[in-house]
Amino acid sequence: MRILLTNDDGYHAPGLAALERIAVALSDDVWIVAPAEDQSGTSRSLTLTRPMRLRQFGERRFAVTGTPTDSVLLALGEVMRDKKPDLILSGVNRGANLGEDVFYSGTVSAAMEGALAGIRSIALSQRYPAQGVGDRVSFATAEAWGERVLRPLLAQDFAPRTLVNVNFPPVAPEAVKGISVTRQGLRDYGRATLEKRSDPRGYDYYWLALGRLPHQPGDDTDLDAVADDRIAVTPLHLDLTHAASLAMLNEAYR
């Protein structure tokens, strides 16, 4: 099995190193093509207004001066053009990708690009405590449980244009209560706030902050599972059509 690893935290991110340790338990044909720098929150953006560069760090190890989606495109179209991967793993992200996070996440978007290419694709993310821990995020739980989560998925046939989103809770490996298959949840982020500051030269700049409000539990979503110290395994698909509105809109245009 040929495996492609990518992420949105960048080529040198500890989570990508953790993902590589998970992947080598599954195959000895593991490739890395990841963004050269942190691309968190870039969603499915493409680099269209400037050229991209590909830097090789070793055998089957590459960094791209672009987004996670760019990285998958360059992997499939250049680095691995002789033989496409059988599996794409994206992560392990520093922080959860739960609920509406999937619309912003570069980690999930890289897996989306793989799904569009017809390749089995899985995104993996490690939630950290609410107060934040700077660069000291532990990926021990993702590493301890990663193979156990992935092996059953490898035995399944994914439907076309679907992917799986995996989130690990912010607890020690032995405290994990199990694995749950869940729906995508939804939180209310509340109103975005802008914090205005000035640099040493007197020019203004801004930090964007999102005030998340607690979700309403009870539907066994990915949010509920991780809050209950379970690993959330969530199938996603790329068809955003709201089927229930089709009849209403067809009637409106009659």
Side-chain angles (χ1 to χ4, degrees):
M1 180 172 56
R2 175 171 278 199
I3 302 177
L4 169 63
L5 307 184
T6 191
N7 70 352
D8 73 357
D9 289 329
Y11 178 85
H12 298 288
L16 184 60
L19 184 61
E20 184 176 13
R21 291 190 287 271
I22 295 169
V24 296
L26 304 172
S27 173
D28 59 1
D29 191 8
V30 176
W31 296 65
I32 295 175
V33 184
E37 298 179 347
D38 192 336
Q39 296 286 326
S40 297
T42 55
S43 187
R44 286 187 41 72
S45 61
L46 296 168
T47 300
L48 299 177
T49 59
R50 65 182 186 273
M52 292 178 287
R53 298 188 185 277
L54 188 67
R55 180 180 179 186
Q56 185 166 3
F57 282 92
E59 186 180 5
R60 298 181 295 190
R61 308 178 72 89
F62 299 84
V64 176
T65 58
T67 68
T69 300
D70 293 331
S71 298
V72 174
L73 289 172
L74 261 74
L76 301 183
E78 176 64 23
V79 176
M80 308 176 75
R81 65 182 183 275
D82 63 320
K83 181 183 178 184
K84 298 295 189 291
D86 305 295
L87 173 68
I88 296 177
L89 300 178
S90 181
V92 177
N93 190 65
R94 179 189 176 280
N97 279 306
L98 299 163
E100 67 283 353
D101 291 342
V102 303
F103 298 111
Y104 303 99
S105 168
T107 299
V108 177
S109 293
M112 288 181 178
E113 191 62 35
L116 284 172
I119 299 168
R120 184 174 306 178
S121 301
I122 302 168
L124 302 97
S125 302
Q126 174 65 65
R127 187 175 184 178
Y128 54 80
Q131 68 272 21
V133 290
D135 291 329
R136 303 181 306 280
V137 174
S138 172
F139 294 92
T141 297
E143 283 199 55
W145 284 83
E147 184 181 352
R148 278 182 278 182
V149 172
L150 291 174
R151 283 204 180 274
L153 295 175
L154 302 182
Q156 307 303 315
D157 291 326
F158 285 21
R161 296 179 296 282
T162 67
L163 61 141
V164 172
N165 185 34
V166 177
N167 281 275
F168 299 94
V171 296
E174 62 273 14
V176 173
K177 295 179 181 177
I179 303 170
S180 294
V181 177
T182 66
R183 297 170 46 250
Q184 178 189 357
L186 179 66
R187 292 165 296 197
D188 185 348
Y189 267 82
R191 185 174 179 177
T193 60
L194 290 170
E195 183 175 335
K196 183 177 180 180
R197 302 181 184 180
S198 295
D199 67 20
R201 300 180 63 193
Y203 292 99
D204 293 336
Y205 66 95
Y206 301 86
W207 278 108
L208 176 65
L210 296 174
R212 298 184 183 184
L213 300 179
H215 74 285
Q216 297 297 318
D219 294 326
D220 201 25
T221 63
D222 51 1
L223 296 161
D224 297 311
V226 173
D228 190 41
D229 298 338
R230 291 175 280 136
I231 297 168
V233 176
T234 310
L236 303 175
H237 67 102
L238 302 181
D239 182 358
L240 297 180
T241 305
H242 186 242
S245 295
L246 289 173
M248 178 269 290
L249 290 174
N250 278 320
E251 184 65 26
Y253 289 106
R254 293 187 66 166

